[in-house]
């Protein structure tokens, strides 16, 4: 690792201290919340992984980036200063951004990018959320190295609805490229083929001993017998859903996407890019005379190539005071390895997601919209664009370019920010409001695909009146192969009221919807060869991105925009933009 780089281990040791300090801090006794200031310097930093040194775009020279730590109700102010040649934006993934859409971060959707030498201050309040979220770059593929955790503690003197952990440990999954990810996607978009895959997965920036030259770059978690630990899992990988397990240990799921869930025990979890999961790990009551491997590897359902490798870390126990010399070095102890599901285990994925349920009690209610004002049916999947004249393409049939779409519309980012154009009523030439509510040409979505796989390209949005109750069915398609798609909605949480395989049946499936305690989250995996139904209340005025959190699919156009109009009352309107909002 680069000599001047603060090590991942050091970063997370500091985080443990800060978390414990926050729990005990007397100035946070007020439930009104405080303002927390952060400064993000976007700068280049040399980092070595897999015996390969390269210059990466970082925040404050750290990889992964620094944590944002706050309590529910706190205001967070982050000053971002761009010292690199790349245009940059930062997205605060999962933060509701109530009436603060100017701080949401997706480039050309809510803001123009922060250019070289420019500064922008993101200002938002964390409302009604507690758990784990994360921040990441939201332009091109820069989030490969620009990402870090958002730790949201409950309000002071408000306990967790589960046993208080002895320690809290962020575990962030990422991907490492020996090549420059920006060059990888640029080349893929030029030739129309699939991009090269990453060289390794990482835990807190470290690949682990199964990779070349990486035994020293291994995440290690030391635990005390009998103690309970809260593991804050984040999938910041670009293009891969991941299975995760710790050998010989049972995990208890207590929170997803900063929303508490009914606790349930499992040996393995599934986490898509964009999702977070909080787990309780109960250490064994006595020193086990063994070390345990934690491991993550992909859940892969598509036809494309993927990084078929495994990232590992080590769980080892603090040795008893009067232990033998061999026990004092965990290297001499037997090592137990976890068993992970097969790469394409769709049944495990379905069973795991069905276990997720909101607490739905008086303190943490599940406010599921019971009536629906507007229903939408969106197909999500791949497609093609024609190959430009006098060019050889590497997409399907070597005569087209890969594309991706929602309702066969492949989204084209404009050259100015949609939110700005909307606020100042200057939409001409920026976007149109004719995004289709249902597929224009219905077909057997998960059956034999149509011969014509070409998509339409455009910058189309859906307009919603304030407080509209929305039901949206997301349907995978078999065009160029069925595949799971992790769909992320900015500006809202939604309730996952139903899911299934095959084609959604508008008569038979809705009566089975769970309107009592469905899981509430911001990112959901559309099942491979299936569908998922979500409901949300459009109570947040602004312009809100919805997209696949596979970065390659987003680059190909699997994205769209919801435009929520102002309400009648002052607190239902989007405020004007801040004075330092970047210009295109």
């Amino acid at each position: 690792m680069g000599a001047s780089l603060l090590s991942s281990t050091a970063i997370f040791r500091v985080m443990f201290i800060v978390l414990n300090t926050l729990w005990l801090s007397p100035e946070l006794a007020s439930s009104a919340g405080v303002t927390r200031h952060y400064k993000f310097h976007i700068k280049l930093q040399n980092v070595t992984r897999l015996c390969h040194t390269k210059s990466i775009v970082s925040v404050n020279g750290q990889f992964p980036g620094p944590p944002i730590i706050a309590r529910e109700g706190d205001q967070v102010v982050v000053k971002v200063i761009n010292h690199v040649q790349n245009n940059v934006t930062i997205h605060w993934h999962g933060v509701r951004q109530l009436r603060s859409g100017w701080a949401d971060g997706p480039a050309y959707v809510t803001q123009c990018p922060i250019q070289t030498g420019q500064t922008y201050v993101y200002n938002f309040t964390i409302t009604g959320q507690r758990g784990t979220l994360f921040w990441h770059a939201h332009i091109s593929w820069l989030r490969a190295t620009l990402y870090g955790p958002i730790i949201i503690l409950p309000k002071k003197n408000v306990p967790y609805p589960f046993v208080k952990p002895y320690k809290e440990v962020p575990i962030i999954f990422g991907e490492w490229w020996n090549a420059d990810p920006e060059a990888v996607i640029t080349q893929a978009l030029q030739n129309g083929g699939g991009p090269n895959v990453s060289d390794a997965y990482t835990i807190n920036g470290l690949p682990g001993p199964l990779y070349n030259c990486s035994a020293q770059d291994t995440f290690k978690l030391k635990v005390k017998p009998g103690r309970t630990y809260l593991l804050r899992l984040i999938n910041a990988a670009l293009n891969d859903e991941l299975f995760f397990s710790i050998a010989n240990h049972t995990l208890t799921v207590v929170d997803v996407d900063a929303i508490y869930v009914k606790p349930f025990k499992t040996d393995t979890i599934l986490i898509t890019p964009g999702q977070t999961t909080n787990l309780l790990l109960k250490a064994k009551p006595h020193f086990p005379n063994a070390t345990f491997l934690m491991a993550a590897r992909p859940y892969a359902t598509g036809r494309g190539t993927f990084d078929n490798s495994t990232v590992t870390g080590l769980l080892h126990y603090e040795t008893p005071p009067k232990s033998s010399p061999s026990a004092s070095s965990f290297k001499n102890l037997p090592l137990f390895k976890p068993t992970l599901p097969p790469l394409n285990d769709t049944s495990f994925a379905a069973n795991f997601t069905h276990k997720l349920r909101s607490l739905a009690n008086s303190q943490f209610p599940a406010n599921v919209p019971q009536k629906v004002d507007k229903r939408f049916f969106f197909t999500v999947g791949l497609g093609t664009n024609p190959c430009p004249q006098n060019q050889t393409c590497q997409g399907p049939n070597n005569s087209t370019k890969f594309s991706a779409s929602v309702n066969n519309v492949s989204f084209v980012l404009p050259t100015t920010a949609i939110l700005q154009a909307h606020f100042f009523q200057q939409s001409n030439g920026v976007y149109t409001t004719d995004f289709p509510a249902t597929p224009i040409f219905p077909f057997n979505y998960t059956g034999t695909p149509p011969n014509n796989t070409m998509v339409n390209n455009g910058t189309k949005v859906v307009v919603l009146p304030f407080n509209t109750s929305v039901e949206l069915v997301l349907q995978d398609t078999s065009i160029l192969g069925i595949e799971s798609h992790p769909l992320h909605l900015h500006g809202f949480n939604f309730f996952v009221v139903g899911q299934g395989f095959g084609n959604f049946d508008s008569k038979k499936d809705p009566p089975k919807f769970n309107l009592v305690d469905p899981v509430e989250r911001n990112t959901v995996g559309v099942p491979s060869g299936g569908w998922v139904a979500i409901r949300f209340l459009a109570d947040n005025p602004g312009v809100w991105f919805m997209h696949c959190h596979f970065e390659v699919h987003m680059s190909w156009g699997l994205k769209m925009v919801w435009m929520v109009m102002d309400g009648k009352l002052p607190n239902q309107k989007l405020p004007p933009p801040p004075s330092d909002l970047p210009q295109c």
Side-chain angles (χ1 to χ4, degrees), residues 109 265 493 503:
V109 177
K265 295 183 184 302
N493 282 343
N503 297 338

Side-chain angles (χ1 to χ4, degrees), residues 332-413:
N332 300 323
L333 297 173
L335 177 65
F336 289 92
K337 301 173 183 178
T339 302
L340 290 166
L343 289 165
N344 61 350
D345 197 339
T346 297
S347 62
F348 176 92
N351 291 335
F352 179 80
T353 53
H354 278 298
K355 294 176 185 174
L356 295 167
R357 292 280 187 270
S358 289
L359 276 185
N361 58 24
S362 57
Q363 188 178 4
F364 302 106
N367 296 316
V368 190
Q370 298 295 312
K371 69 175 184 67
V372 174
D373 299 321
K374 290 200 174 185
R375 285 184 166 85
F376 297 88
F377 182 87
F378 289 176
T379 57
V380 293
L382 304 186
T384 55
N385 266 318
C387 189
Q389 281 189 327
N390 303 320
Q391 183 180 332
T392 302
C393 289
Q394 297 175 16
N397 304 318
N398 285 327
S399 60
T400 60
K401 287 188 164 190
F402 272 110
S403 185
S405 67
V406 181
N407 273 355
N408 210 45
V409 177
S410 186
F411 192 86
V412 178
L413 283 175

Side-chain angles (χ1 to χ4, degrees), residues 81-378:
I81 307 105
N82 186 8
H83 302 281
V84 301
Q85 294 303 305
N86 309 72
N87 286 344
V88 170
T89 69
I90 303 291
H91 170 52
W92 317 95
H93 182 110
V95 173
R96 279 291 319 267
Q97 298 291 4
L98 289 166
R99 297 179 64 241
S100 56
W102 303 107
D104 191 43
Y108 303 107
V109 177
T110 61
Q111 68 167 97
C112 298
I114 307 167
Q115 298 176 34
T116 307
Q118 287 187 342
T119 296
Y120 182 48
V121 176
Y122 291 92
N123 190 334
F124 54 89
T125 299
I126 295 170
T127 305
Q129 295 176 285
R130 73 295 297 170
T132 307
L133 298 170
F134 71 117
W135 58 263
H136 61 77
H138 213 303
I139 183 168
S140 190
W141 278 24
L142 284 184
R143 76 174 182 88
T145 56
L146 281 179
Y147 63 86
I150 301 176
I151 309 295
I152 308 171
L153 299 171
K155 292 181 179 181
K156 192 67 180 174
N157 300 321
V158 176
Y160 288 135
F162 46 81
V163 61
K164 184 178 177 180
Y166 174 67
K167 272 188 179 177
E168 305 190 7
V169 185
I171 293 181
I172 313 174
F173 302 113
E175 290 182 80
W176 172 265
W177 270 263
N178 286 334
D180 176 8
E182 291 299 281
V184 169
I185 186 56
T186 298
Q187 181 187 39
L189 293 176
Q190 285 174 348
N191 65 36
N196 292 335
V197 301
S198 57
D199 294 284
Y201 299 107
T202 58
I203 295 176
N204 295 344
L206 303 170
L210 299 188
Y211 293 104
N212 174 50
C213 203
S214 299
Q216 297 304 309
D217 289 332
T218 300
F219 172 71
K220 300 179 181 74
L221 175 60
K222 181 188 277 190
V223 297
K224 290 185 176 183
R227 297 288 195 178
T228 298
Y229 294 79
L230 181 67
L231 308 184
R232 295 176 174 269
L233 270 60
I234 299 166
N235 188 347
L238 265 65
N239 295 311
D240 293 278
E241 303 183 52
L242 296 169
F243 294 120
F244 172 77
S245 183
I246 301 177
N248 292 27
H249 286 73
T250 299
L251 306 167
T252 303
V253 179
V254 293
D255 184 307
V256 297
D257 293 1
I259 296 290
Y260 296 133
V261 296
K262 290 184 171 73
F264 68 92
K265 295 183 184 302
T266 182
D267 295 330
T268 303
I269 73 131
L270 174 65
I271 185 166
T272 80
Q275 288 184 342
T276 65
T277 304
N278 281 7
L279 307 169
L280 291 180
L281 167 69
K282 180 70 183 292
K284 296 181 182 301
H286 306 290
F287 181 72
N289 261 323
T291 303
F292 305 91
L293 212 60
M294 62 179 76
R297 78 166 184 215
Y299 164 55
T301 56
R303 292 181 184 175
T305 56
F306 61 95
D307 180 355
N308 185 9
S309 65
T310 303
V311 59
T312 54
L314 289 173
L315 175 73
H316 61 100
Y317 280 70
E318 199 170 285
T319 52
K322 297 180 180 178
S323 57
S324 66
S326 62
S328 63
S329 172
F330 65 84
K331 293 178 183 177
N332 300 323
L333 297 173
L335 177 65
F336 289 92
K337 301 173 183 178
T339 302
L340 290 166
L343 289 165
N344 61 350
D345 197 339
T346 297
S347 62
F348 176 92
N351 291 335
F352 179 80
T353 53
H354 278 298
K355 294 176 185 174
L356 295 167
R357 292 280 187 270
S358 289
L359 276 185
N361 58 24
S362 57
Q363 188 178 4
F364 302 106
N367 296 316
V368 190
Q370 298 295 312
K371 69 175 184 67
V372 174
D373 299 321
K374 290 200 174 185
R375 285 184 166 85
F376 297 88
F377 182 87
F378 289 176

